[in-house]
Amino acid sequence: MDNSTIYVRERGNLRRVSDIVLAQPKPVSSCRRTNPFVLRKEHFIFTYNAEGSLRYTTKSLFDITLLFVADNIHHVDSLVGFPDQIGDRLFAAAEENRVFLNADISSKALQLFSDAYGEMVLGSLCLRNRFPLLHERMNEIKTFHSLKSLDLFGCRLGDDHEIFQHLTSSSLASSLKQLSIGGNKLSDVGLQRLTAPIRMLRKGLDCLQLLDVSYNPISVRALRYITCFPKLENLDVSGTSLKLGTGLKTNIWDLLGLIYSEESLDSFDHSRCKTEGWAEQVVNQWETNNSQMPEQKKIDESRTSALRFFGRQKFVRDVLNAAPLVCESEEEAKRERLHFFRPAANSHIPQKETPSTTTNQQGKPSWHNIKKRQRQSERRDSSSQSPPTKRLPSSALTAEDLDLLNNY
């Protein structure tokens, strides 16, 4: 443990391990001289007996080894193949040692666990109105490539954010089913940029079923960019430039095969979104650690410390104190709910939707239009099961897409 040469016997052969600096044990105050052969204090469990006398028992070899591996988790090559029970206890030991708060090794450690255990590490992540956490821990968040639900509402993404590339990457293509990017000042240009890799490369977010783009300045023009999601079943466009009417219902039905819901859908209820997985407490530790940054201990007076205090900490303090994006009133929020859903394949369109979705200025029978659109829906459903190269013609490249492609 004193950084001397380390030898490992493996399959009967003795070899030397080089270029590995093991974590140093925590200093323990003692009146004795430092002896590397003296057992460490954390190897014992101290308890009191019925008489009140102090007694100790040694930890098992497994627990001692677990602590050793957790301290040196950044030297582990892979955990693939290890049982889930071992991975869970190792993750808990690394979390207890605050390994994931170390910016130098946290990304590698989380990537190690995510590659081996996937959804168990983190299956759902809620960052609603927690934009400081997103910007501070971007590298760590990118390691969660088995997310099924991701809530980025109110994270101030704008039209060009580095998280866009991660959302459309192949790592999330087969897992992410629910995505909320509302309240991010996302315009038609931003939505076009977000979906460009999907529409051009024909891959990414193939399993997305729920999309929330509410409270963004998007228009009807943005609807054609959403047609690249073949399995989309629920859409929230509340608080946007879209106004409820016959034209909007007709466009969304023709492009996406979705119909308007008179009542708010439970799937867009924020209470259903939670951070779930082994890393749940890690995310909470990140947020707690960031909120305590302005209270760091005093450092020496110097130009560097002054820049750090007046620059970095002031920025974090202003961001933390900024008010998150909320609706003006609950009544207005309820009045502007624009939720759309995909009807069941074996069910007919509700009759109450017929006047608004099947109105024909030329006086054709409404049932004729319903059957026609049902046939279009069946063709759309069958095309969603086909290879990505056979998607809707509306996803063809436009002149704007080509200009965007030339910018890459």
Side-chain angles (χ1 to χ4, degrees):
M1 300 302 295
D2 56 350
N3 292 333
S4 59
T5 305
I6 301 175
Y7 294 90
V8 177
R9 180 180 297 277
E10 183 179 11
R11 297 181 180 179
N13 297 324
L14 189 67
R15 60 184 178 89
R16 184 174 64 181
V17 180
S18 59
D19 299 331
I20 293 183
V21 180
L22 299 178
Q24 295 297 318
K26 299 178 181 179
V28 179
S29 59
S30 175
C31 58
R32 299 175 299 178
R33 293 182 178 179
T34 304
N35 187 346
F37 296 101
V38 175
L39 293 177
R40 296 167 58 179
K41 189 175 181 179
E42 51 266 30
H43 292 168
F44 296 91
I45 302 176
F46 296 90
T47 57
Y48 290 91
N49 55 17
E51 291 77 13
S53 301
L54 179 65
R55 58 178 301 181
Y56 64 89
T57 56
T58 59
K59 292 183 179 180
S60 64
L61 180 60
F62 174 79
D63 292 334
I64 296 176
T65 306
L66 200 68
L67 291 175
F68 178 79
V69 177
D71 289 338
N72 300 275
I73 191 66
H74 51 288
H75 293 310
V76 178
D77 292 332
S78 175
L79 292 174
V80 176
F82 284 83
D84 301 343
Q85 296 83 352
I86 302 296
D88 188 8
R89 296 191 59 177
L90 182 59
F91 190 92
E95 178 185 349
E96 185 178 358
N97 289 350
R98 305 174 69 86
V99 171
F100 303 115
L101 293 180
N102 188 346
D104 297 331
I105 62 176
S106 58
S107 298
K108 184 180 185 302
L110 288 173
Q111 185 69 45
L112 188 72
F113 285 99
S114 297
D115 292 341
Y117 305 106
E119 182 184 351
M120 288 184 289
V121 177
L122 205 65
S124 176
L125 179 59
C126 180
L127 297 177
R128 175 168 291 236
N129 294 324
R130 301 162 76 179
F131 48 91
L133 181 59
L134 174 64
H135 296 284
E136 288 289 338
R137 295 291 177 175
M138 178 64 65
N139 294 331
E140 288 85 348
I141 292 175
K142 288 181 179 180
T143 61
F144 302 132
H145 52 68
S146 297
L147 294 174
K148 289 187 176 180
S149 176
L150 179 59
D151 191 341
L152 298 175
F153 187 97
C155 287
R156 303 185 179 183
L157 302 182
D159 289 336
D160 188 9
H161 197 277
E162 58 179 314
I163 195 65
F164 288 174
Q165 185 177 1
H166 176 62
L167 293 178
T168 56
S169 62
S170 58
S171 58
L172 289 176
S174 59
S175 62
L176 192 62
K177 296 182 178 180
Q178 299 180 1
L179 176 62
S180 176
I181 50 177
N184 283 293
K185 297 182 180 180
L186 185 69
S187 65
D188 297 346
V189 177
L191 197 58
Q192 179 189 13
R193 182 175 288 108
L194 173 63
T195 59
I198 307 175
R199 293 180 288 110
M200 295 178 182
L201 303 179
R202 309 291 182 179
K203 60 181 180 179
L205 294 179
D206 297 333
C207 299
L208 189 65
Q209 299 177 0
L210 183 145
L211 179 62
D212 180 5
V213 291
S214 59
Y215 299 98
N216 284 315
I218 60 175
S219 63
V220 181
R221 173 188 173 189
L223 294 178
R224 60 177 179 172
Y225 302 135
I226 307 179
T227 57
C228 61
F229 303 125
K231 297 184 179 180
L232 188 64
E233 296 181 356
N234 297 278
L235 177 65
D236 185 2
V237 291
S238 307
T240 62
S241 301
L242 305 179
K243 300 301 180 181
L244 182 62
T246 304
L248 177 62
K249 294 180 180 180
T250 303
N251 289 335
I252 293 183
W253 169 250
D254 292 339
L255 294 175
L256 305 174
L258 306 179
I259 62 176
Y260 173 71
S261 176
E262 297 290 345
E263 299 180 356
S264 299
L265 298 179
D266 295 336
S267 55
F268 292 109
D269 186 5
H270 172 57
S271 61
R272 295 175 175 267
C273 179
K274 300 178 181 179
T275 301
E276 297 178 344
W278 296 349
E280 177 181 355
Q281 294 301 324
V282 174
V283 177
N284 295 334
Q285 289 178 3
W286 289 343
E287 188 171 23
T288 303
N289 185 65
N290 291 341
S291 63
Q292 294 176 351
M293 288 183 65
E295 300 177 3
Q296 293 177 352
K297 59 183 179 180
K298 295 182 179 180
I299 53 181
D300 298 336
E301 293 291 339
S302 64
R303 178 181 178 86
T304 304
S305 62
L307 290 176
R308 180 179 301 177
F309 178 80
F310 292 106
R312 181 61 174 172
Q313 292 188 4
K314 184 177 183 299
F315 166 76
V316 174
R317 189 186 301 112
D318 294 341
V319 170
L320 290 173
N321 295 333
L325 179 62
V326 295
C327 304
E328 295 181 1
S329 63
E330 295 183 359
E331 295 180 358
E332 182 180 356
K334 294 180 180 179
R335 185 171 60 252
E336 292 183 353
R337 292 295 183 189
L338 295 179
H339 293 175
F340 293 83
F341 69 98
R342 183 183 300 277
N346 57 353
S347 64
H348 297 283
I349 301 176
Q351 188 172 1
K352 61 183 178 181
E353 296 289 337
T354 302
S356 60
T357 59
T358 61
T359 303
N360 195 329
Q361 297 179 356
Q362 298 179 358
K364 293 184 179 180
S366 60
W367 284 106
H368 177 268
N369 295 332
I370 293 177
K371 293 180 180 179
K372 179 179 179 181
R373 284 167 183 159
Q374 286 179 351
R375 290 193 297 270
Q376 293 177 355
S377 177
E378 293 176 357
R379 290 195 298 268
R380 187 179 293 107
D381 293 339
S382 61
S383 63
S384 64
Q385 299 175 357
S386 60
T389 55
K390 297 182 180 180
R391 290 183 181 174
L392 294 176
S394 58
S395 61
L397 298 182
T398 62
E400 298 176 353
D401 294 336
L402 295 177
D403 294 339
L404 182 61
L405 182 61
N406 293 331
N407 295 331
Y408 280 86

